[in-house]
Amino acid sequence: MPRFSLSSLALPALFAAALAAGCGGGSGDAPPAASPTPTPPAPAPVPPPAVPTAEVAVTVADTSGRFVDAATITVVSSGATAATNAQGAATVRVPVGSEQVVRIAKAGFAEQVQLLRLEAGATQGFLRTMLVAREPAVAINAIEGGGSATGRDGVKVEFPPGALVNASGQAVTGRIDMVMTPLNTARADVRAFPGSFEGTAPGVARSPIVTFGTSELVPQQNGQKLNLAPNRSATIELPMYARTELDGTPIRPGDRIPLWSLNASTGLWVQEGEGTVIAQPASPTGLAMRASISHFSWWNVDRFAERGTVNVTVRVVGSNVPANTRAWLEAHVISGNGPTSAATTSVPVGTATQLP
């Protein structure tokens, strides 16, 4: 290239001139080299535009209706956090105009995540949620040889030999503690259902679901969570709290029902095969689902739901309410002795709203 050819010719000539000036009786020193041109400073980085947020009032209670203090509220996308007071209340700023995952955590309670979507112009919002206390741990000794644990309402986990690894991928030996927390979804406890009543399945887009019963399953050692080793599985039995299908058909041992796990990052449920209904005398319905799993999480007996709509108008009698005031609604959908679901939302006072 021309630029490199020019340099190769000029440099020897300049070097010879410098030698001559240093060795002979020239008239004076060579002129000083020109100072390098200073490099202009890099422009300051432009911060991304601020994401609009709204102040959300959060209330946390347990399944006995008692307020939960010192629960940590975390908005996953922004990292904003807050802690509840003695009245179970906290405020946290949540981005508006998009669906947000909110994590609610306290030691001694099962994992809880909720989905919240605020309108783009919202300045405030509400979130009421419930935590379920974890059941006492059941010890399994010499887990390297396999073992099993059984808990309330007949919830059960069975391990083959060499099933568990720690967070570093090392095989676990010795005693472990199996924490199994079933959630009775036939009662008001359904409000402690983690995540959304929505899920996905192979070939099926996000859709509403109804639950027959769900349980959180957490193996631990020295307080640290464990998981299944690659190519290992565990067998579980989940108590069922519904006796009939959505159409009223009785559920019987031998029936097959979809099995789901919670994706705590999205708040949605993911179908992972099916399980088989078995007789389980310890379950309130006498039924449980038996299935094989490859990881630990909340696990759920679910079906996709069929939804209708309901028209709701909230009216305030005896007082004037400012325009655009929103009212908080909570609803339970119960199909006789069948599966259940729950929903929470807010609607503008005095305005008819169609809800699924």
Side-chain angles (χ1 to χ4, degrees):
M1 296 174 63
R3 180 164 57 91
F4 293 130
S5 176
L6 176 62
S7 298
S8 64
L9 292 174
L11 283 175
L14 289 174
F15 182 59
L19 286 175
C23 297
S27 60
D29 295 332
S35 300
T37 303
T39 303
V46 178
V51 177
T53 62
E55 188 174 81
V56 174
V58 183
T59 304
V60 182
D62 64 15
T63 52
S64 297
R66 298 169 296 198
F67 293 126
V68 178
D69 68 332
T72 301
I73 315 299
T74 304
V75 182
V76 173
S77 67
S78 67
T81 63
T84 58
N85 60 20
Q87 287 71 48
T91 58
V92 64
R93 298 206 69 86
V94 177
V96 301
S98 61
E99 187 172 77
Q100 298 293 317
V101 179
V102 181
R103 182 174 293 117
I104 305 96
K106 183 175 180 179
F109 289 87
E111 181 180 39
Q112 176 64 283
V113 293
Q114 293 289 300
L115 293 182
L116 182 64
R117 186 181 183 92
L118 302 174
E119 296 176 359
T123 58
Q124 61 180 2
F126 307 91
L127 177 62
R128 296 178 183 175
T129 189
M130 182 178 285
L131 296 177
V132 56
R134 281 178 169 160
E135 292 290 311
V138 178
I140 304 176
N141 295 313
I143 189 61
E144 63 273 19
S148 65
T150 303
R152 179 169 62 85
D153 292 350
V155 62
K156 185 176 181 180
V157 179
E158 299 175 357
F159 294 100
L164 290 174
V165 294
N166 60 21
S168 300
Q170 299 172 323
V172 175
T173 62
R175 168 182 163 153
I176 70 157
D177 294 316
M178 190 66 221
V179 183
M180 302 166 289
T181 306
L183 182 66
N184 189 338
T185 53
R187 304 187 316 208
D189 291 6
V190 72
R191 290 179 294 169
F193 187 84
S196 174
F197 275 90
E198 294 179 300
T200 61
V204 181
R206 175 174 172 175
S207 300
I209 58 174
V210 292
T211 179
F212 297 78
T214 183
S215 299
E216 185 198 44
L217 307 175
V218 184
Q220 297 179 341
Q221 188 175 64
N222 301 322
Q224 301 300 310
K225 289 184 180 180
L226 308 173
N227 219 322
L228 287 165
N231 303 316
R232 290 287 191 274
S233 62
T235 301
I236 62 172
E237 294 180 11
L238 304 178
M240 296 175 61
Y241 300 98
R243 294 182 174 88
T244 67
E245 295 278 7
L246 280 166
D247 62 1
T249 303
I251 299 171
R252 296 183 175 87
D255 290 349
R256 301 280 291 177
I257 299 179
L259 175 70
W260 309 68
S261 68
L262 177 66
N263 183 335
S265 298
T266 65
L268 300 177
W269 293 84
V270 180
Q271 185 183 346
E272 299 195 43
E274 294 181 330
T276 302
V277 178
I278 63 171
Q280 172 50 267
S283 168
T285 60
L287 301 171
M289 172 191 273
R290 186 175 178 88
S292 178
I293 63 171
S294 60
H295 63 94
F296 283 97
S297 171
W298 277 94
W299 285 90
N300 193 9
V301 186
D302 272 322
R303 286 200 188 277
F304 283 116
E306 296 179 2
R307 280 190 175 180
T309 59
V310 59
N311 292 320
V312 176
T313 303
V314 176
R315 304 187 188 280
V316 179
V317 179
S319 63
N320 293 323
V321 176
N324 299 319
T325 299
R326 301 185 73 85
W328 180 265
L329 299 182
E330 180 178 273
H332 299 173
V333 181
I334 302 174
S335 176
N337 292 319
T340 63
S341 64
T344 55
T345 189
S346 64
V347 298
V349 172
T351 301
T353 305
Q354 189 176 72
L355 302 176

